[in-house]
Amino acid sequence: TDANGCAGTQAYTITPVCPTITITPATATPGLVGTAYSQTLTAAGGTAPYGTWTVTVGTLPAGLTLNAATGIISGTPTAAASPATSITVRVNDTYGCQGTQVISLQICPVITVNPASLAASTVGTAYSQTVSATGGSGVYTFAVSAGALPTWATLNATTGVISGTPNSTTAASFTIRATDANLCTGTRAYTITPVCPTITITPATATPGLVGTAYTQTLTAAGGTAPYGTWTITAGTLPTGLTLNAATGIISGTPTAAASPATSITVRVNDTNGCQGTQVI
């Protein structure tokens, strides 16, 4: 109405529209068959509180449910969903406005890494052990997920072969992770503790000598990794006038006193990896 009382009219319509309501995450945390699972869905963009969470398209993996009030997907999955399954989830805000989201949810099968323990290893002997996996899908890849392989060993990521030649008795503990074609994983912890090989020293009975006559007897070692060295006498004493060469293992000299009946000595030798052998001579 204007100042002179003249009037005009116009009809209007107000149609409020709902705000955009987003649901996160679009990709749920992966689960594992037989293991308790929980994933909280959250809404933003409308007016809290939110409620009436529902699955409108698709089906949750067996064993899981969606809480209509809290938006929590939980339960213990009883079957794998790998590759991931897709579900569409809807939520209402306090005014009844709705948001929807396609959510990818993967439930991995139990993947078992084999064998239960690794074969024994021997210092100085080439080692090879194949790690494999079962329970997943497609081709597996392998990696060390915790700890470290021995310094002498390598892991083939494609074949799962652990190989190398042990050069000490130092133990190593590590965890191998197998990943299948759908990126599901399984792990197993292992320990490798190399042992020394048997090192023998010969002869056990040395050639007899004679007082006042130059004497020589070469001791030899076998069974470890050459070169051998650090020959030592750990028990007993050589007859007077004789010595043991620490580098060559040769007993030599000119005996000045008899040792008859025979005397006994214990000799020890190291191989190149520090493994030892002993012999009573």
Side-chain angles (χ1 to χ4, degrees):
T1 302
D2 71 1
N4 297 315
C6 295
T9 62
Q10 176 67 51
Y12 290 104
T13 298
I14 294 179
T15 307
V17 295
C18 282
T20 299
I21 297 175
T22 58
I23 298 172
T24 55
T27 301
T29 302
L32 180 67
V33 170
T35 300
Y37 179 84
S38 181
Q39 172 69 67
T40 300
L41 305 180
T42 58
T47 304
Y50 302 92
T52 318
W53 293 84
T54 55
V55 176
T56 59
V57 178
T59 305
L60 284 169
L64 300 183
T65 58
L66 171 63
N67 188 303
T70 63
I72 296 176
I73 299 171
S74 64
T76 300
T78 58
S82 183
T85 187
S86 291
I87 58 171
T88 300
V89 173
R90 182 179 66 206
V91 68
N92 294 355
D93 74 355
T94 194
Y95 294 121
C97 290
Q98 298 179 335
T100 62
Q101 176 66 53
V102 176
I103 296 174
S104 176
L105 174 56
Q106 183 179 31
I107 301 298
C108 287
V110 175
I111 294 177
T112 302
V113 178
N114 300 301
S117 61
L118 295 178
S121 59
T122 302
V123 175
T125 300
Y127 180 84
S128 181
Q129 173 74 59
T130 300
V131 174
S132 62
T134 57
S137 300
V139 177
Y140 297 92
T141 57
F142 301 89
V144 176
S145 60
L149 290 172
T151 56
W152 50 265
T154 59
L155 170 66
N156 186 306
T158 301
T159 64
V161 174
I162 298 171
S163 60
T165 301
N167 55 14
S168 76
T169 57
T170 302
S173 295
F174 51 91
T175 299
I176 298 294
R177 180 181 62 222
T179 303
D180 77 355
N182 296 316
L183 303 183
C184 291
T185 63
T187 61
R188 189 184 290 274
Y190 292 108
T191 297
I192 293 179
T193 307
V195 297
C196 279
T198 299
I199 297 175
T200 58
I201 297 172
T202 55
T205 301
T207 302
L210 180 66
V211 171
T213 301
Y215 179 86
T216 184
Q217 171 70 66
T218 300
L219 305 180
T220 59
T225 303
Y228 303 92
T230 318
W231 293 84
T232 56
I233 296 173
T234 60
T237 306
L238 283 170
T240 305
L242 299 184
T243 59
L244 171 64
N245 187 303
T248 63
I250 296 175
I251 299 172
S252 63
T254 299
T256 58
S260 183
T263 188
S264 292
I265 58 171
T266 300
V267 174
R268 181 179 67 204
V269 69
N270 293 356
D271 75 353
T272 191
N273 293 317
C275 290
Q276 298 179 336
T278 61
Q279 176 66 54
V280 177
I281 295 173

